[in-house]
Amino acid sequence: MNDADYGSAKLPEGKGFPLQPGNSVLLTAGIIIADVVGAGILAMGSAVAHVGWLLGTVSIPVLLAMNIHVSILLWRVRRLHPGASTYLELASMVFEQAPSIQLRTMQGLVAGSQNLYIFSMLCVYTLSIGKGLSMLLYDLHLCLPSMALAGCAMLLPFSLTARKLGAYNTPIWINVATTLGTILIPIIWMSFQGAAVTRPSRASFVAVAEDLTPSAFFQAASTFSFAFSGQFMVVEIMSEMQNPEDFPKAYALSAPYQAAAFLLVGLSVYYFRATAAAEMVVFELPFGALTRLIAVCLVLHMAVTYVVKNIVLCKNLLSYCQR
C-alpha cells in the first residue's frame, strides 16, 4: 500500500477501529497542537483589541469548544466507516448510497474546500516564516519575498522526506516549546515594562469596545475562526493513531494547552497594549537580542506547522495524480 492511500482498506461498518502501528495519544495531542495553534495565535491580541476583553474571553473558549465538538463528530462518523483514512474518503463513504450527481458534488466540495484551506494556510505560514527570518536578520535589509523564498528552501528537505504526520517526533515537541517561546517572551517583556509604559495614553482597555463596528467585529471573528479551523485535518490525524478509539483522549490533552495559550496571548497583549495592540504579538518588542530569539522560535514554530499541513496536501495531490 503506498503512502498516498493512508491505509484505505474498508472494514465492516460498526466494528470500531483496528489496532495498527501509528502515533500514540500523546504524540497525536502534539500534532493537534501543531495543526491548530498556528499563525492564528499570534494575532489573538489584535483580535481581542477589536472587541474588548469580555467578548474576547467569551469568544475564545466558545470557538475552541465548537472546534472540539466538530472534531468529535467527525470521529464518531469515522467509527462507522473505519476504512476511511482521509477527509475525502470519509465523505465518499457517507454519501456512497446517494445519487451519483450528489456523491460527485460532495466529493468536489470536500476535496476543494480541504485542499484550498490547506494551501491558504501554507501561504500564511510561508509569509510568517519570511517575517521571522526578516526579524532574525533585520540588519541585512532584505525584502520579505527573499526571506520567504529562503524559508521555502529551508523547508524543502523536510517536505520531501516527511510521509506521515508523526514522521518526525522531536520537531512536534519542539513546536510546542517554540510556540510557548514565541508568545511568552513578548508577554514577559511587557510585564516587566508594566502597562503604564507599554500602553499608550490614547489606547483604551475596556470590556466591550466602545466603537465596535460591524467591520471590527467581523475582523475579530474571522481571526478567531481562522485560529480554530483545524477540523479539516482531524480524519487524517486520527487515521495515523495506533488506536483511533483514543482520539478523544488526544483532544483532552491538547485542549487545555490550546485554551490557556489563546487566552494568555489575547488577554495579556490587550492588557498591556490595549487598542494599540500590534497585528502580531511578535511585533511588540523593539529590535534587539530578544527579537532575534523570538524570531528563531517563530520560524521553528511555523516550519513544523507548515510541514504537518503540507503532508496532507501533498498526499492528496499524489492520490489525484495516481488515479
Side-chain angles (χ1 to χ4, degrees), residues 6-202:
Y6 279 79
S8 57
K10 186 175 180 181
L11 300 176
E13 293 185 5
K15 299 298 183 181
F17 296 116
L19 294 176
Q20 58 189 11
N23 303 326
S24 65
V25 172
L26 188 60
L27 180 58
T28 301
I31 294 173
I32 292 173
I33 291 172
D35 176 43
V36 176
V37 185
I41 193 172
L42 304 178
M44 280 296 104
S46 175
V48 173
H50 280 96
V51 296
W53 64 261
L54 179 59
L55 291 180
T57 303
V58 173
S59 299
I60 291 174
V62 167
L63 289 173
L64 175 59
M66 291 175 62
N67 172 270
I68 296 172
H69 176 66
V70 172
S71 299
I72 297 301
L73 285 179
L74 285 170
W75 170 77
R76 292 175 64 184
V77 173
R78 189 179 177 269
R79 294 186 78 227
L80 301 176
H81 303 278
S85 297
T86 68
Y87 193 32
L88 177 58
E89 286 182 1
L90 182 60
S92 298
M93 291 182 181
V94 169
F95 285 90
E96 62 184 350
Q97 301 299 325
S100 59
I101 186 172
Q102 186 176 351
L103 173 61
R104 291 194 299 270
T105 299
M106 295 310 300
Q107 288 175 328
L109 287 174
V110 168
S113 61
Q114 184 189 39
N115 292 325
L116 181 60
Y117 161 77
I118 296 176
F119 178 78
S120 300
M121 295 302 100
L122 295 183
C123 293
V124 173
Y125 298 155
T126 300
L127 290 175
S128 298
I129 291 173
K131 288 184 178 181
L133 291 175
S134 298
M135 293 169 59
L136 178 63
L137 306 171
Y138 60 82
D139 50 345
L140 293 183
H141 304 289
L142 295 177
C143 65
L144 180 58
S146 299
M147 290 299 188
L149 182 61
C152 291
M154 178 186 68
L155 290 170
L156 185 60
F158 300 97
S159 298
L160 292 176
T161 56
R163 294 292 182 268
K164 293 183 179 296
L165 297 177
Y168 297 108
N169 293 8
T170 302
I172 294 297
W173 303 117
I174 291 177
N175 175 75
V176 175
T178 53
T179 301
L180 289 174
T182 303
I183 62 179
L184 288 180
I185 291 173
I187 290 174
I188 292 174
W189 180 84
M190 287 188 289
S191 66
F192 275 103
Q193 299 295 314
V197 175
T198 60
R199 188 187 302 170
S201 57
R202 69 183 186 281

Side-chain angles (χ1 to χ4, degrees), residues 214-238:
S215 175
F217 175 79
F218 283 110
Q219 183 174 349
S222 64
T223 302
F224 291 139
S225 301
F226 165 79
F228 296 108
S229 56
Q231 60 271 17
F232 281 93
M233 284 180 46
V234 295
V235 176
E236 285 80 1
I237 292 174
M238 71 178 76

